[in-house]
Amino acid sequence: MEFLDKLGDTLSTKGKEVSGKAKDLAEIANLKRQISTCEDVIRKNYIEIGKRYYESCGQEPGAEYEEFCRAIANANSGIEELEQKIKEVKGI
Protein backbone atom coordinates (compact mmCIF):
# COMPACT_ATOMS: atom_id res chain seq x y z
CA MET A 1 0.00 0.00 0.00
CA GLU A 2 2.94 2.31 0.55
CA PHE A 3 3.58 2.30 -3.20
CA LEU A 4 0.00 3.31 -3.91
CA ASP A 5 0.16 6.06 -1.29
CA LYS A 6 3.34 7.46 -2.87
CA LEU A 7 1.78 7.20 -6.31
CA GLY A 8 -1.31 9.03 -5.08
CA ASP A 9 0.82 11.77 -3.50
CA THR A 10 2.88 12.12 -6.68
CA LEU A 11 -0.20 12.35 -8.87
CA SER A 12 -1.77 14.88 -6.52
CA THR A 13 1.37 17.02 -6.54
CA LYS A 14 1.67 16.80 -10.34
CA GLY A 15 -2.01 17.65 -10.73
CA LYS A 16 -1.55 20.77 -8.63
CA GLU A 17 1.51 21.73 -10.68
CA VAL A 18 -0.37 21.26 -13.96
CA SER A 19 -3.35 23.18 -12.61
CA GLY A 20 -1.06 25.99 -11.44
CA LYS A 21 0.65 26.14 -14.82
CA ALA A 22 -2.69 26.21 -16.62
CA LYS A 23 -3.76 29.14 -14.42
CA ASP A 24 -0.49 30.90 -15.19
CA LEU A 25 -0.94 30.37 -18.93
CA ALA A 26 -4.50 31.69 -18.77
CA GLU A 27 -3.35 34.76 -16.85
CA ILE A 28 -0.53 35.37 -19.33
CA ALA A 29 -2.97 35.08 -22.26
CA ASN A 30 -5.30 37.57 -20.55
CA LEU A 31 -2.44 40.00 -19.93
CA LYS A 32 -1.32 39.69 -23.56
CA ARG A 33 -4.87 40.50 -24.71
CA GLN A 34 -4.81 43.59 -22.50
CA ILE A 35 -1.44 44.62 -23.97
CA SER A 36 -2.87 44.14 -27.47
CA THR A 37 -5.84 46.34 -26.57
CA CYS A 38 -3.50 49.06 -25.30
CA GLU A 39 -1.42 48.81 -28.50
CA ASP A 40 -4.62 49.18 -30.56
CA VAL A 41 -5.49 52.34 -28.64
CA ILE A 42 -2.00 53.72 -29.27
CA ARG A 43 -2.14 52.82 -32.98
CA LYS A 44 -5.57 54.43 -33.44
CA ASN A 45 -4.43 57.60 -31.71
CA TYR A 46 -1.25 57.76 -33.80
CA ILE A 47 -3.45 57.52 -36.88
CA GLU A 48 -5.75 60.26 -35.60
CA ILE A 49 -2.77 62.52 -34.81
CA GLY A 50 -1.43 61.98 -38.33
CA LYS A 51 -4.82 62.62 -39.87
CA ARG A 52 -5.29 65.85 -37.96
CA TYR A 53 -1.75 66.98 -38.80
CA TYR A 54 -2.33 66.28 -42.48
CA GLU A 55 -5.63 68.17 -42.45
CA SER A 56 -4.09 71.14 -40.61
CA CYS A 57 -1.03 71.40 -42.89
CA GLY A 58 -2.94 71.45 -46.12
CA GLN A 59 -0.51 71.82 -48.99
CA GLU A 60 2.43 73.06 -46.91
CA PRO A 61 3.75 70.17 -44.84
CA GLY A 62 7.20 70.24 -43.30
CA ALA A 63 9.90 68.76 -45.51
CA GLU A 64 10.11 65.60 -43.38
CA TYR A 65 6.38 64.95 -43.98
CA GLU A 66 6.18 65.96 -47.65
CA GLU A 67 6.63 62.43 -49.01
CA PHE A 68 3.86 61.05 -46.79
CA CYS A 69 1.46 63.89 -47.58
CA ARG A 70 2.10 63.46 -51.30
CA ALA A 71 1.36 59.73 -50.99
CA ILE A 72 -1.92 60.50 -49.20
CA ALA A 73 -2.91 63.06 -51.84
CA ASN A 74 -2.14 60.58 -54.63
CA ALA A 75 -4.13 57.83 -52.89
CA ASN A 76 -7.08 60.21 -52.42
CA SER A 77 -6.97 61.05 -56.15
CA GLY A 78 -6.89 57.36 -56.97
CA ILE A 79 -9.91 56.74 -54.74
CA GLU A 80 -11.85 59.52 -56.48
CA GLU A 81 -11.05 58.04 -59.91
CA LEU A 82 -12.06 54.54 -58.81
CA GLU A 83 -15.30 55.78 -57.26
CA GLN A 84 -16.09 57.57 -60.54
CA LYS A 85 -15.48 54.32 -62.47
CA ILE A 86 -17.83 52.50 -60.08
CA LYS A 87 -20.51 55.11 -60.80
CA GLU A 88 -19.97 54.65 -64.53
CA VAL A 89 -20.27 50.88 -64.28
CA LYS A 90 -23.45 51.26 -62.23
CA GLY A 91 -24.76 53.77 -64.76
CA ILE A 92 -25.13 56.53 -62.23
Side-chain angles (χ1 to χ4, degrees):
M1 289 303 215
E2 186 178 326
F3 170 75
L4 293 177
D5 290 338
K6 286 183 180 180
L7 180 61
D9 290 343
T10 301
L11 291 176
S12 176
T13 302
K14 292 294 182 184
K16 289 178 184 175
E17 288 176 17
V18 169
S19 175
K21 288 183 181 188
K23 277 180 141 181
D24 290 348
L25 289 174
E27 183 177 357
I28 289 168
N30 183 37
L31 293 169
K32 285 185 177 184
R33 276 192 300 276
Q34 291 178 38
I35 289 170
S36 180
T37 299
C38 291
E39 290 172 341
D40 286 344
V41 169
I42 291 168
R43 194 172 8 268
K44 287 176 184 176
N45 281 282
Y46 276 149
I47 290 169
E48 187 62 28
I49 288 169
K51 181 179 174 185
R52 289 183 185 191
Y53 175 81
Y54 176 77
E55 290 170 353
S56 71
C57 284
Q59 298 297 320
E60 298 183 30
E64 66 272 19
Y65 301 107
E66 188 175 338
E67 174 185 349
F68 303 109
C69 291
R70 188 173 44 253
I72 291 170
N74 290 339
N76 281 329
S77 294
I79 289 170
E80 289 174 11
E81 289 175 16
L82 294 168
E83 287 176 341
Q84 184 59 39
K85 287 181 181 181
I86 290 171
K87 288 178 182 179
E88 291 171 8
V89 170
K90 287 183 172 182
I92 298 175

